[in-house]
Amino acid sequence: MKSSDMPLDIDQIIKKSQEVCTLAGAKLTDKRKNVLIVLLAAATPLSAYEIVERYKTHFHEALPVMSVYRMLDFLIQEKLVHKLETSGQYMSCAHITCEHQHETPQFLICDRCGSVKEIGIKQHIIAELERSIQSTGFTLAHQQLELHGICEHCQIKPQ
Amino acid sequence: MKSSDMPLDIDQIIKKSQEVCTLAGAKLTDKRKNVLIVLLAAATPLSAYEIVERYKTHFHEALPVMSVYRMLDFLIQEKLVHKLETSGQYMSCAHITCEHQHETPQFLICDRCGSVKEIGIKQHIIAELERSIQSTGFTLAHQQLELHGICEHCQIKPQ
DNA sequence: TCTGCTATGATATAACATAACATAAGAAAT
DNA sequence: ATTTCTTATGTTATGTTATATCATAGCAGA
Ligand SMILES: [Zn+2]
Ligand SMILES: [Zn+2]
Ligand SMILES: [Zn+2]
Ligand SMILES: [Zn+2]
């Protein structure tokens, strides 16, 4: 299951992505765009090697995995894609078309079906986390939170 | 830097580990024990391959990486060792000698020196997290939280 | 001793990621 | 239009993390 239950308008997201890149003085080349499309069309995060396979299927063109890693680096820099550190997989940002600035992301990873829902982390959670570790002298870098569990759909389904 | 600033009494931890295993009907063999000792003596988490190297240095005996993975599986099952999912590294549990049951662990990972401090996650943080995702229908599995940042020591040191 | 179980060894391979250098494609300057 | 520079992509090799599979050793109980 795609984590968002809303149907995606890929064309619109790509259009917005173009704008984001142009604004940043970066170029969303055709291949970078196609990699993003593969991720947008996927129901779950994909590894770089899975992207190679799907790219081949979708676009009838081979893409070296080395290039995929570089394109992912680019897309991550532009915050169009995120990397899940706990699984080494990549997924498109769920908030590309949102106007607001990108917040610290929080990922809800379903351990049964593999779907991932990205939500912005609530400010008060960050504040609580910081308060709870204050005594350790540790300073948080706001990267991302990856939480594992069972998604809504998988809960109502039989095992 | 070892994350805990307290000097470790490795002998005492090993003794307790023996007890934990015996109680669980499991055997802490010499090799498993030695792998644990390597981790206890390390200042930072180690990869399985790094454990192989250090094992060789400490004990003048080669250990196949395959065996290390199996011993890590065993030690993780007995909660004597944790795996950091964000880096594929392993570290000894900081609470082996504690009497209380093992809580959901939270790891503060220093991105400058690589040290990791393990603390039990506060109940109210879990409650807050659960409340914040309630509307998504997602049910958290209490695995572990890996937080990145800068540790106390690295903050006072020049870059 | 025989039997069966658990631990470990050995080998191969899968899966994820980076390094280094070559070529192509496009923009800017001449 | 040609040269030059830069950026994007291709190619090959290798490093790193993890699993699969089958063989052997060691040990406990019948
Ligand atoms: Zn995002
Ligand atoms: Zn699910
Ligand atoms: Zn622990
Ligand atoms: Zn540090």
PDB file of all heavy atoms in Angstrom, chain A residues 6-34:
ATOM      1  N   MET A   6      -4.301   9.003  -0.395  1.00  0.00           N
ATOM      2  CA  MET A   6      -4.758   9.872  -1.465  1.00  0.00           C
ATOM      3  C   MET A   6      -4.078   9.441  -2.754  1.00  0.00           C
ATOM      4  O   MET A   6      -2.898   9.121  -2.759  1.00  0.00           O
ATOM      5  CB  MET A   6      -4.342  11.315  -1.173  1.00  0.00           C
ATOM      6  CG  MET A   6      -4.841  11.831   0.158  1.00  0.00           C
ATOM      7  SD  MET A   6      -6.513  12.430   0.024  1.00  0.00           S
ATOM      8  CE  MET A   6      -6.237  13.932  -0.918  1.00  0.00           C
ATOM      9  N   PRO A   7      -4.821   9.435  -3.870  1.00  0.00           N
ATOM     10  CA  PRO A   7      -4.153   9.141  -5.137  1.00  0.00           C
ATOM     11  C   PRO A   7      -3.149  10.250  -5.444  1.00  0.00           C
ATOM     12  O   PRO A   7      -3.413  11.426  -5.196  1.00  0.00           O
ATOM     13  CB  PRO A   7      -5.298   9.110  -6.140  1.00  0.00           C
ATOM     14  CG  PRO A   7      -6.401   9.892  -5.508  1.00  0.00           C
ATOM     15  CD  PRO A   7      -6.235   9.753  -4.036  1.00  0.00           C
ATOM     16  N   LEU A   8      -2.003   9.852  -5.957  1.00  0.00           N
ATOM     17  CA  LEU A   8      -0.960  10.820  -6.251  1.00  0.00           C
ATOM     18  C   LEU A   8      -1.156  11.389  -7.639  1.00  0.00           C
ATOM     19  O   LEU A   8      -1.419  10.650  -8.582  1.00  0.00           O
ATOM     20  CB  LEU A   8       0.397  10.125  -6.249  1.00  0.00           C
ATOM     21  CG  LEU A   8       1.006   9.748  -4.914  1.00  0.00           C
ATOM     22  CD1 LEU A   8       2.289   8.972  -5.171  1.00  0.00           C
ATOM     23  CD2 LEU A   8       1.281  11.014  -4.134  1.00  0.00           C
ATOM     24  N   ASP A   9      -0.940  12.675  -7.771  1.00  0.00           N
ATOM     25  CA  ASP A   9      -0.898  13.238  -9.109  1.00  0.00           C
ATOM     26  C   ASP A   9       0.571  13.419  -9.468  1.00  0.00           C
ATOM     27  O   ASP A   9       1.190  14.433  -9.135  1.00  0.00           O
ATOM     28  CB  ASP A   9      -1.648  14.567  -9.163  1.00  0.00           C
ATOM     29  CG  ASP A   9      -1.637  15.135 -10.567  1.00  0.00           C
ATOM     30  OD1 ASP A   9      -0.837  14.656 -11.395  1.00  0.00           O
ATOM     31  OD2 ASP A   9      -2.422  16.063 -10.843  1.00  0.00           O
ATOM     32  N   ILE A  10       1.106  12.387 -10.118  1.00  0.00           N
ATOM     33  CA  ILE A  10       2.547  12.386 -10.387  1.00  0.00           C
ATOM     34  C   ILE A  10       2.965  13.581 -11.236  1.00  0.00           C
ATOM     35  O   ILE A  10       3.976  14.225 -10.955  1.00  0.00           O
ATOM     36  CB  ILE A  10       2.967  11.050 -11.050  1.00  0.00           C
ATOM     37  CG1 ILE A  10       2.801   9.908 -10.015  1.00  0.00           C
ATOM     38  CG2 ILE A  10       4.404  11.108 -11.537  1.00  0.00           C
ATOM     39  CD1 ILE A  10       3.422   8.597 -10.428  1.00  0.00           C
ATOM     40  N   ASP A  11       2.164  13.895 -12.250  1.00  0.00           N
ATOM     41  CA  ASP A  11       2.514  15.021 -13.119  1.00  0.00           C
ATOM     42  C   ASP A  11       2.685  16.311 -12.333  1.00  0.00           C
ATOM     43  O   ASP A  11       3.623  17.079 -12.545  1.00  0.00           O
ATOM     44  CB  ASP A  11       1.417  15.232 -14.181  1.00  0.00           C
ATOM     45  CG  ASP A  11       1.435  14.110 -15.223  1.00  0.00           C
ATOM     46  OD1 ASP A  11       2.417  13.350 -15.232  1.00  0.00           O
ATOM     47  OD2 ASP A  11       0.469  14.016 -15.996  1.00  0.00           O
ATOM     48  N   GLN A  12       1.755  16.498 -11.409  1.00  0.00           N
ATOM     49  CA  GLN A  12       1.796  17.737 -10.630  1.00  0.00           C
ATOM     50  C   GLN A  12       3.026  17.753  -9.727  1.00  0.00           C
ATOM     51  O   GLN A  12       3.684  18.792  -9.557  1.00  0.00           O
ATOM     52  CB  GLN A  12       0.511  17.830  -9.797  1.00  0.00           C
ATOM     53  CG  GLN A  12       0.274  19.200  -9.195  1.00  0.00           C
ATOM     54  CD  GLN A  12      -0.865  19.152  -8.177  1.00  0.00           C
ATOM     55  OE1 GLN A  12      -1.780  18.344  -8.310  1.00  0.00           O
ATOM     56  NE2 GLN A  12      -0.786  20.009  -7.155  1.00  0.00           N
ATOM     57  N   ILE A  13       3.338  16.603  -9.148  1.00  0.00           N
ATOM     58  CA  ILE A  13       4.503  16.528  -8.263  1.00  0.00           C
ATOM     59  C   ILE A  13       5.786  16.780  -9.054  1.00  0.00           C
ATOM     60  O   ILE A  13       6.685  17.488  -8.596  1.00  0.00           O
ATOM     61  CB  ILE A  13       4.555  15.154  -7.578  1.00  0.00           C
ATOM     62  CG1 ILE A  13       3.339  14.979  -6.660  1.00  0.00           C
ATOM     63  CG2 ILE A  13       5.837  15.013  -6.763  1.00  0.00           C
ATOM     64  CD1 ILE A  13       3.259  13.616  -6.004  1.00  0.00           C
ATOM     65  N   ILE A  14       5.849  16.227 -10.251  1.00  0.00           N
ATOM     66  CA  ILE A  14       7.040  16.431 -11.087  1.00  0.00           C
ATOM     67  C   ILE A  14       7.171  17.919 -11.452  1.00  0.00           C
ATOM     68  O   ILE A  14       8.270  18.479 -11.400  1.00  0.00           O
ATOM     69  CB  ILE A  14       6.962  15.568 -12.363  1.00  0.00           C
ATOM     70  CG1 ILE A  14       7.069  14.077 -11.999  1.00  0.00           C
ATOM     71  CG2 ILE A  14       8.055  15.944 -13.342  1.00  0.00           C
ATOM     72  CD1 ILE A  14       8.381  13.676 -11.381  1.00  0.00           C
ATOM     73  N   LYS A  15       6.039  18.516 -11.763  1.00  0.00           N
ATOM     74  CA  LYS A  15       6.055  19.947 -12.125  1.00  0.00           C
ATOM     75  C   LYS A  15       6.619  20.765 -10.954  1.00  0.00           C
ATOM     76  O   LYS A  15       7.496  21.607 -11.115  1.00  0.00           O
ATOM     77  CB  LYS A  15       4.625  20.389 -12.460  1.00  0.00           C
ATOM     78  CG  LYS A  15       4.505  21.794 -13.007  1.00  0.00           C
ATOM     79  CD  LYS A  15       3.158  22.015 -13.688  1.00  0.00           C
ATOM     80  CE  LYS A  15       2.842  23.506 -13.872  1.00  0.00           C
ATOM     81  NZ  LYS A  15       2.480  24.183 -12.603  1.00  0.00           N
ATOM     82  N   LYS A  16       6.118  20.458  -9.772  1.00  0.00           N
ATOM     83  CA  LYS A  16       6.597  21.169  -8.580  1.00  0.00           C
ATOM     84  C   LYS A  16       8.082  20.887  -8.337  1.00  0.00           C
ATOM     85  O   LYS A  16       8.843  21.776  -7.956  1.00  0.00           O
ATOM     86  CB  LYS A  16       5.763  20.760  -7.359  1.00  0.00           C
ATOM     87  CG  LYS A  16       6.150  21.464  -6.059  1.00  0.00           C
ATOM     88  CD  LYS A  16       5.749  22.929  -6.049  1.00  0.00           C
ATOM     89  CE  LYS A  16       6.381  23.711  -4.896  1.00  0.00           C
ATOM     90  NZ  LYS A  16       6.022  23.224  -3.572  1.00  0.00           N
ATOM     91  N   SER A  17       8.480  19.661  -8.601  1.00  0.00           N
ATOM     92  CA  SER A  17       9.887  19.289  -8.394  1.00  0.00           C
ATOM     93  C   SER A  17      10.792  20.085  -9.327  1.00  0.00           C
ATOM     94  O   SER A  17      11.876  20.531  -8.930  1.00  0.00           O
ATOM     95  CB  SER A  17      10.083  17.791  -8.642  1.00  0.00           C
ATOM     96  OG  SER A  17       9.297  17.037  -7.751  1.00  0.00           O
ATOM     97  N   GLN A  18      10.325  20.241 -10.547  1.00  0.00           N
ATOM     98  CA  GLN A  18      11.069  21.063 -11.504  1.00  0.00           C
ATOM     99  C   GLN A  18      11.270  22.459 -10.928  1.00  0.00           C
ATOM    100  O   GLN A  18      12.370  23.016 -10.957  1.00  0.00           O
ATOM    101  CB  GLN A  18      10.289  21.188 -12.826  1.00  0.00           C
ATOM    102  CG  GLN A  18      10.212  19.931 -13.661  1.00  0.00           C
ATOM    103  CD  GLN A  18      11.474  19.685 -14.509  1.00  0.00           C
ATOM    104  OE1 GLN A  18      12.513  20.290 -14.279  1.00  0.00           O
ATOM    105  NE2 GLN A  18      11.367  18.736 -15.439  1.00  0.00           N
ATOM    106  N   GLU A  19      10.200  23.010 -10.405  1.00  0.00           N
ATOM    107  CA  GLU A  19      10.272  24.370  -9.852  1.00  0.00           C
ATOM    108  C   GLU A  19      11.251  24.433  -8.694  1.00  0.00           C
ATOM    109  O   GLU A  19      12.060  25.357  -8.591  1.00  0.00           O
ATOM    110  CB  GLU A  19       8.881  24.811  -9.373  1.00  0.00           C
ATOM    111  CG  GLU A  19       7.880  25.031 -10.502  1.00  0.00           C
ATOM    112  CD  GLU A  19       6.448  25.230  -9.971  1.00  0.00           C
ATOM    113  OE1 GLU A  19       6.321  25.601  -8.778  1.00  0.00           O
ATOM    114  OE2 GLU A  19       5.507  25.000 -10.746  1.00  0.00           O
ATOM    115  N   VAL A  20      11.152  23.447  -7.802  1.00  0.00           N
ATOM    116  CA  VAL A  20      12.041  23.410  -6.638  1.00  0.00           C
ATOM    117  C   VAL A  20      13.499  23.427  -7.096  1.00  0.00           C
ATOM    118  O   VAL A  20      14.327  24.177  -6.566  1.00  0.00           O
ATOM    119  CB  VAL A  20      11.765  22.146  -5.795  1.00  0.00           C
ATOM    120  CG1 VAL A  20      12.867  21.911  -4.770  1.00  0.00           C
ATOM    121  CG2 VAL A  20      10.412  22.257  -5.104  1.00  0.00           C
ATOM    122  N   CYS A  21      13.792  22.594  -8.097  1.00  0.00           N
ATOM    123  CA  CYS A  21      15.171  22.510  -8.578  1.00  0.00           C
ATOM    124  C   CYS A  21      15.609  23.818  -9.237  1.00  0.00           C
ATOM    125  O   CYS A  21      16.706  24.315  -8.977  1.00  0.00           O
ATOM    126  CB  CYS A  21      15.313  21.350  -9.556  1.00  0.00           C
ATOM    127  SG  CYS A  21      15.216  19.744  -8.759  1.00  0.00           S
ATOM    128  N   THR A  22      14.764  24.334 -10.093  1.00  0.00           N
ATOM    129  CA  THR A  22      15.099  25.585 -10.767  1.00  0.00           C
ATOM    130  C   THR A  22      15.394  26.685  -9.754  1.00  0.00           C
ATOM    131  O   THR A  22      16.378  27.405  -9.854  1.00  0.00           O
ATOM    132  CB  THR A  22      13.926  26.030 -11.672  1.00  0.00           C
ATOM    133  OG1 THR A  22      13.622  24.965 -12.560  1.00  0.00           O
ATOM    134  CG2 THR A  22      14.289  27.276 -12.445  1.00  0.00           C
ATOM    135  N   LEU A  23      14.555  26.747  -8.738  1.00  0.00           N
ATOM    136  CA  LEU A  23      14.745  27.743  -7.691  1.00  0.00           C
ATOM    137  C   LEU A  23      16.076  27.582  -6.986  1.00  0.00           C
ATOM    138  O   LEU A  23      16.700  28.549  -6.545  1.00  0.00           O
ATOM    139  CB  LEU A  23      13.611  27.609  -6.658  1.00  0.00           C
ATOM    140  CG  LEU A  23      12.976  28.921  -6.224  1.00  0.00           C
ATOM    141  CD1 LEU A  23      11.894  29.312  -7.234  1.00  0.00           C
ATOM    142  CD2 LEU A  23      12.390  28.807  -4.833  1.00  0.00           C
ATOM    143  N   ALA A  24      16.534  26.323  -6.883  1.00  0.00           N
ATOM    144  CA  ALA A  24      17.792  26.042  -6.190  1.00  0.00           C
ATOM    145  C   ALA A  24      18.972  26.111  -7.155  1.00  0.00           C
ATOM    146  O   ALA A  24      20.107  25.838  -6.769  1.00  0.00           O
ATOM    147  CB  ALA A  24      17.721  24.671  -5.528  1.00  0.00           C
ATOM    148  N   GLY A  25      18.694  26.464  -8.412  1.00  0.00           N
ATOM    149  CA  GLY A  25      19.769  26.519  -9.400  1.00  0.00           C
ATOM    150  C   GLY A  25      20.283  25.153  -9.779  1.00  0.00           C
ATOM    151  O   GLY A  25      21.443  24.996 -10.150  1.00  0.00           O
ATOM    152  N   ALA A  26      19.409  24.146  -9.673  1.00  0.00           N
ATOM    153  CA  ALA A  26      19.822  22.778 -10.001  1.00  0.00           C
ATOM    154  C   ALA A  26      18.974  22.277 -11.160  1.00  0.00           C
ATOM    155  O   ALA A  26      17.910  22.813 -11.438  1.00  0.00           O
ATOM    156  CB  ALA A  26      19.636  21.876  -8.792  1.00  0.00           C
ATOM    157  N   LYS A  27      19.488  21.247 -11.810  1.00  0.00           N
ATOM    158  CA  LYS A  27      18.757  20.746 -12.970  1.00  0.00           C
ATOM    159  C   LYS A  27      18.145  19.379 -12.728  1.00  0.00           C
ATOM    160  O   LYS A  27      18.857  18.422 -12.423  1.00  0.00           O
ATOM    161  CB  LYS A  27      19.680  20.694 -14.189  1.00  0.00           C
ATOM    162  CG  LYS A  27      19.578  21.964 -15.031  1.00  0.00           C
ATOM    163  CD  LYS A  27      20.633  21.979 -16.110  1.00  0.00           C
ATOM    164  CE  LYS A  27      22.002  22.259 -15.503  1.00  0.00           C
ATOM    165  NZ  LYS A  27      23.045  22.491 -16.522  1.00  0.00           N
ATOM    166  N   LEU A  28      16.838  19.277 -12.879  1.00  0.00           N
ATOM    167  CA  LEU A  28      16.173  17.975 -12.808  1.00  0.00           C
ATOM    168  C   LEU A  28      16.203  17.388 -14.211  1.00  0.00           C
ATOM    169  O   LEU A  28      15.269  17.589 -14.990  1.00  0.00           O
ATOM    170  CB  LEU A  28      14.734  18.150 -12.307  1.00  0.00           C
ATOM    171  CG  LEU A  28      13.972  16.860 -12.014  1.00  0.00           C
ATOM    172  CD1 LEU A  28      14.587  16.121 -10.842  1.00  0.00           C
ATOM    173  CD2 LEU A  28      12.503  17.159 -11.731  1.00  0.00           C
ATOM    174  N   THR A  29      17.275  16.667 -14.494  1.00  0.00           N
ATOM    175  CA  THR A  29      17.413  16.079 -15.843  1.00  0.00           C
ATOM    176  C   THR A  29      16.362  15.000 -16.043  1.00  0.00           C
ATOM    177  O   THR A  29      15.695  14.581 -15.098  1.00  0.00           O
ATOM    178  CB  THR A  29      18.796  15.441 -16.015  1.00  0.00           C
ATOM    179  OG1 THR A  29      18.917  14.379 -15.068  1.00  0.00           O
ATOM    180  CG2 THR A  29      19.887  16.448 -15.790  1.00  0.00           C
ATOM    181  N   ASP A  30      16.235  14.536 -17.284  1.00  0.00           N
ATOM    182  CA  ASP A  30      15.243  13.509 -17.591  1.00  0.00           C
ATOM    183  C   ASP A  30      15.471  12.250 -16.753  1.00  0.00           C
ATOM    184  O   ASP A  30      14.530  11.669 -16.231  1.00  0.00           O
ATOM    185  CB  ASP A  30      15.305  13.139 -19.082  1.00  0.00           C
ATOM    186  CG  ASP A  30      14.564  14.164 -19.934  1.00  0.00           C
ATOM    187  OD1 ASP A  30      13.940  15.077 -19.333  1.00  0.00           O
ATOM    188  OD2 ASP A  30      14.628  14.077 -21.176  1.00  0.00           O
ATOM    189  N   LYS A  31      16.728  11.848 -16.622  1.00  0.00           N
ATOM    190  CA  LYS A  31      16.991  10.610 -15.881  1.00  0.00           C
ATOM    191  C   LYS A  31      16.706  10.787 -14.400  1.00  0.00           C
ATOM    192  O   LYS A  31      16.140   9.899 -13.755  1.00  0.00           O
ATOM    193  CB  LYS A  31      18.437  10.158 -16.130  1.00  0.00           C
ATOM    194  CG  LYS A  31      18.651   9.854 -17.597  1.00  0.00           C
ATOM    195  CD  LYS A  31      19.881   9.040 -17.894  1.00  0.00           C
ATOM    196  CE  LYS A  31      19.861   8.718 -19.397  1.00  0.00           C
ATOM    197  NZ  LYS A  31      20.921   7.811 -19.810  1.00  0.00           N
ATOM    198  N   ARG A  32      17.086  11.915 -13.862  1.00  0.00           N
ATOM    199  CA  ARG A  32      16.779  12.174 -12.448  1.00  0.00           C
ATOM    200  C   ARG A  32      15.267  12.189 -12.252  1.00  0.00           C
ATOM    201  O   ARG A  32      14.745  11.650 -11.277  1.00  0.00           O
ATOM    202  CB  ARG A  32      17.371  13.537 -12.035  1.00  0.00           C
ATOM    203  CG  ARG A  32      18.871  13.523 -11.903  1.00  0.00           C
ATOM    204  CD  ARG A  32      19.439  14.918 -11.774  1.00  0.00           C
ATOM    205  NE  ARG A  32      20.866  14.885 -11.496  1.00  0.00           N
ATOM    206  CZ  ARG A  32      21.656  15.949 -11.544  1.00  0.00           C
ATOM    207  NH1 ARG A  32      21.165  17.146 -11.852  1.00  0.00           N
ATOM    208  NH2 ARG A  32      22.949  15.834 -11.269  1.00  0.00           N
ATOM    209  N   LYS A  33      14.584  12.806 -13.196  1.00  0.00           N
ATOM    210  CA  LYS A  33      13.126  12.873 -13.128  1.00  0.00           C
ATOM    211  C   LYS A  33      12.530  11.468 -13.187  1.00  0.00           C
ATOM    212  O   LYS A  33      11.618  11.139 -12.428  1.00  0.00           O
ATOM    213  CB  LYS A  33      12.599  13.722 -14.296  1.00  0.00           C
ATOM    214  CG  LYS A  33      11.121  14.011 -14.245  1.00  0.00           C
ATOM    215  CD  LYS A  33      10.705  14.897 -15.405  1.00  0.00           C
ATOM    216  CE  LYS A  33      10.821  14.171 -16.730  1.00  0.00           C
ATOM    217  NZ  LYS A  33      10.479  15.021 -17.900  1.00  0.00           N
ATOM    218  N   ASN A  34      13.069  10.644 -14.055  1.00  0.00           N
ATOM    219  CA  ASN A  34      12.547   9.281 -14.188  1.00  0.00           C
ATOM    220  C   ASN A  34      12.775   8.460 -12.921  1.00  0.00           C
ATOM    221  O   ASN A  34      11.921   7.661 -12.536  1.00  0.00           O
ATOM    222  CB  ASN A  34      13.180   8.593 -15.397  1.00  0.00           C
ATOM    223  CG  ASN A  34      12.665   9.172 -16.703  1.00  0.00           C
ATOM    224  OD1 ASN A  34      11.664   9.903 -16.720  1.00  0.00           O
ATOM    225  ND2 ASN A  34      13.354   8.885 -17.795  1.00  0.00           N
TER     226      ASN A  34
END
